[in-house]
Amino acid sequence: MLYSLLDLAPVPEGSEIPQSFKNSSDLAQQAEAWGYHRYWLAEHHNMPGIASAATAVLIGHIASQTKTIRVGAGGIMLPNHAPYMVAEAFGTLAALHGDRIDLGLGRAPGTDMQTARALRRGMASGHGAPDSFPQDVVDLMGFLGPLDPEARVRAFPGQGSNVPVWILGSSLYGAQLAAQLGLPYAFASHFAPQALEKALDLYRRAFRPSAYLDKPYAMMAVNVFGAETEAEGIRLRTTMQQAFARLRLGQPGKLPRPVDDIAEHLSPPVLAGVNEALTISATGSPETVQQELSDILTRYAPDEVIITGQIHDHHARLRSFEIAAKALQAL
């Protein structure tokens, strides 16, 4: 089973965006050496702790810093963009870096509604509405697919690049669409695990073979907070617990430093909600991480797993992804 890595180019407290990009380059190079198959970056906006807003630009940078690992979007939030411009951007990336580029597409705006309105300013009436997403995906795949000499609108670069398109989701909607279009599907179980089982089942049952895939291909996301000891893994996890709580409370900021006792920093209801969102996680020593990953993979049987984990210290983050890689190799 292939294993991949999801990065948000985090900006930790006490650091700045240029350092985050250096950290992501370092992580991508290490991930390539550790056997990770893909390195995906995600589009978020108006979040001080996430630097991957200009996702296609950062994908190009990471691809230029690596040699063999696939690099892509997990994902591009398609309602924020004209499909034609996404095709040009990813066609350009494919022309520069060959068959190493992936394009995962999401239906959410990746931000608050006020920022979403700023992103969509000037777009044609109706574009970007949630119900236009299926047609936008189809249009985008047309701009990336074989050249149609009769078409009046074609994407250069883009046409004929055949950049692989994925559907991302955290509900049953994406699973249904991916199945109908015969596309690979990635579920955001690292923060929205509630519908994971139903979504994977729906996708597999409803899948229609296509020119892109002859059978369903599902990927799920797992948080990993690996360290030398149980206690240190649990402590590393408090960074993501705090960040998630602040996001839910409408107070996003830079990635918080870890704390010794998370219960002293979050109220019981908030902590319970955060822990429920982070259910699909492996936390602790290398042995514990391997066992918990084994349990998750046995239960859900994904075709591929994508590992993530918001960790404040860059070296601790590297070590956690290394622990995850070794555990997945052993499995």
Side-chain angles (χ1 to χ4, degrees):
M1 188 193 68
L2 299 173
Y3 56 94
S4 297
L5 191 156
L6 174 64
D7 180 24
L8 305 184
V11 188
E13 290 177 350
S15 187
E16 300 297 335
I17 287 171
Q19 185 60 49
S20 295
F21 294 150
K22 291 177 184 175
N23 291 347
S24 287
S25 293
D26 185 26
L27 176 58
Q29 289 165 354
Q30 300 289 345
E32 191 169 69
W34 294 328
Y36 282 91
H37 183 59
R38 308 176 202 277
Y39 191 99
W40 278 8
L41 294 141
E43 177 185 348
H44 293 274
H45 300 281
N46 197 21
M47 296 186 186
I50 296 176
S52 53
T55 317
V57 177
L58 193 51
I59 287 169
H61 175 65
I62 295 298
S64 73
Q65 301 294 301
T66 52
K67 294 183 175 69
T68 57
I69 195 169
R70 298 191 67 84
V71 187
I76 291 293
M77 301 298 109
L78 193 52
N80 299 337
H81 309 278
Y84 185 77
M85 294 190 72
V86 176
E88 288 178 329
F90 279 78
T92 300
L93 289 168
L96 287 167
H97 303 290
D99 183 25
R100 293 174 56 204
I101 303 299
D102 293 326
L103 175 53
L105 300 173
R107 179 171 167 249
T111 188
D112 59 273
M113 292 318 296
Q114 202 168 353
T115 307
R117 282 192 290 273
L119 283 161
R120 297 170 190 171
R121 181 173 294 148
M123 283 189 170
S125 176
H127 177 81
D131 58 1
S132 75
F133 182 69
Q135 187 59 51
D136 286 347
V137 172
V138 171
D139 290 347
L140 174 52
M141 290 193 298
F143 293 134
L144 293 170
L147 182 65
D148 178 1
E150 303 299 317
R152 298 296 298 273
V153 180
R154 296 169 290 172
F156 302 110
Q159 220 68 64
S161 64
N162 299 305
V163 173
V165 171
W166 292 63
I167 299 296
L168 313 186
S170 57
S171 68
L172 302 184
Y173 180 95
Q176 183 73 48
L177 181 61
Q180 285 177 351
L181 297 177
L183 295 175
Y185 178 57
F187 192 89
S189 36
H190 59 305
F191 70 84
Q194 290 79 7
L196 171 62
E197 209 150 1
K198 286 183 178 178
L200 292 181
D201 180 61
L202 172 62
Y203 171 66
R204 287 163 176 156
R205 281 190 295 103
F207 183 85
R208 299 176 184 171
S210 69
Y212 311 102
L213 275 183
D214 59 358
K215 60 182 181 179
Y217 192 91
M219 177 160 65
M220 64 177 288
V222 181
N223 298 294
V224 172
F225 307 95
E228 304 313 319
T229 66
E230 298 293 307
E232 182 57 20
I234 291 168
R235 186 172 185 275
L236 293 179
R237 178 183 163 115
T238 64
T239 286
M240 193 159 179
Q241 289 170 307
Q242 293 176 85
F244 211 83
R246 292 177 188 179
L247 185 61
R248 287 189 158 193
L249 297 169
Q251 304 163 345
K254 288 188 174 183
L255 198 62
R257 292 179 172 85
V259 296
D260 292 329
D261 185 358
I262 191 64
E264 293 180 358
H265 296 263
L266 301 179
S267 68
V270 170
L271 182 57
V274 167
N275 286 342
E276 183 180 355
L278 302 181
T279 301
I280 306 296
S281 299
T283 306
S285 67
E287 295 76 21
T288 302
V289 165
Q290 183 170 325
Q291 183 57 56
E292 292 183 353
L293 283 173
S294 176
D295 293 344
I296 290 168
L297 300 183
T298 299
R299 177 173 178 182
Y300 298 104
D303 299 291
E304 186 172 336
V305 65
I306 189 162
I307 303 298
T308 190
Q310 296 285 72
I311 293 173
H312 181 273
D313 178 75
H314 176 58
H315 296 290
R317 186 164 78 125
L318 289 176
R319 178 62 181 139
S320 180
F321 281 116
E322 182 183 20
I323 286 169
K326 288 182 176 177
L328 289 162
Q329 286 166 8
L331 294 173

